[in-house]
Amino acid sequence: MSLRIVAASLLLPQASSVSLLSCVYGFSQCLGLKSGEGYEKAKELGCPVSDDGESWNGALASTFNTAFGQPSALEGSKSTDYQDGMPCTFSPDSQDEDLATLQLSEIEIKMSDGTSRNPTGATWAPSNERNEMRTLLLVGHFGFSENLKIVSVSVRGSSYSGGGLSYTNMGHELAYAKWWDVDSHAKLEGDGNWLTDRMRGPTNC
């Protein structure tokens, strides 16, 4: 191979080793409730609530303001009111270096009306331990409250268009499972930061 060919190949953009396996549209408007809001607002929005009138499933906007300030969040992530949530899982052979450099602008969500949008935020938390780091939580406004459906989610050319994109009448899809021996699993618990790992404590079951 000539030096010219080698030099030319180095200048060409390299293919990203990112493979998207599945996404699950799991929350509609339940992530980003305002301060002081709780059960009644969550019920009004259609979020999961308990029969006793006390518990609800979702998160306040302040929670995501904090989460998006952490290293596990993609650059530029911001919290907005009444966000949707959609975790997306990548193949275990996706390259760590490529996943670590993902940008919000590289995540394209195509809608049923022909438009496209990007998430307003994304974070690897809470699955940001060293034996995880394959599920990215996308946060934004993904159409259910607007009577729109998601057609596909694309990340650096890898696309998913399966049943998990439907907010209603959807089932669970097993993206992949990975077995660890006990010692390796224990060593990889935590994100490697001694301070946050110590504050959080063990997370293994």
Side-chain angles (χ1 to χ4, degrees):
M1 181 180 293
S2 70
L3 291 177
R4 287 184 179 180
I5 295 176
V6 172
S9 66
L10 291 175
L11 294 175
L12 292 174
Q14 302 298 307
S16 175
S17 299
V18 168
S19 179
L20 187 59
L21 292 181
S22 72
C23 295
V24 178
Y25 193 166
F27 277 109
S28 175
Q29 303 185 89
C30 302
L31 306 180
L33 271 65
K34 299 177 183 178
S35 178
E37 294 180 334
Y39 181 91
E40 292 301 326
K41 187 62 178 182
K43 185 177 181 179
E44 175 191 330
L45 294 172
C47 306
V49 296
S50 63
D51 292 335
D52 61 12
E54 295 182 3
S55 302
W56 57 280
N57 201 348
L60 295 174
S62 57
T63 300
F64 282 94
N65 287 331
T66 300
F68 289 157
Q70 302 301 312
S72 53
L74 268 59
E75 184 178 358
S77 292
K78 61 180 180 180
S79 179
T80 59
D81 295 339
Y82 313 126
Q83 306 163 122
D84 302 347
M86 180 166 55
C88 290
T89 300
F90 294 87
S91 161
D93 58 0
S94 295
Q95 297 298 311
D96 292 344
E97 296 81 2
D98 288 325
L99 293 176
T101 57
L102 286 179
Q103 302 292 317
L104 291 175
S105 59
E106 296 177 304
I107 305 171
E108 182 183 25
I109 302 168
K110 293 185 178 179
M111 309 302 298
S112 57
D113 64 352
T115 62
S116 297
R117 59 184 68 178
N118 307 106
T120 56
T123 177
W124 295 103
S127 303
N128 60 333
E129 296 184 350
R130 290 166 294 173
N131 53 6
E132 298 173 326
M133 290 299 293
R134 284 298 181 273
T135 298
L136 182 66
L137 174 61
L138 308 184
V139 176
H141 302 278
F142 304 140
F144 181 72
S145 61
E146 307 164 55
N147 294 316
L148 295 174
K149 294 182 179 180
I150 300 175
V151 175
S152 66
V153 177
S154 299
V155 182
R156 285 188 182 169
S158 180
S159 297
Y160 171 77
S161 57
L165 298 181
S166 172
Y167 186 69
T168 58
N169 301 319
M170 70 175 186
H172 295 288
E173 296 177 308
L174 178 63
Y176 75 92
K178 186 171 183 178
W179 291 97
W180 300 88
D181 64 74
V182 175
D183 290 339
S184 296
H185 175 77
K187 290 177 181 178
L188 293 171
E189 280 289 293
D191 59 15
N193 182 305
W194 70 269
L195 179 59
T196 56
D197 287 345
R198 184 179 180 86
M199 291 174 62
R200 178 170 47 193
T203 60
N204 55 312
C205 300

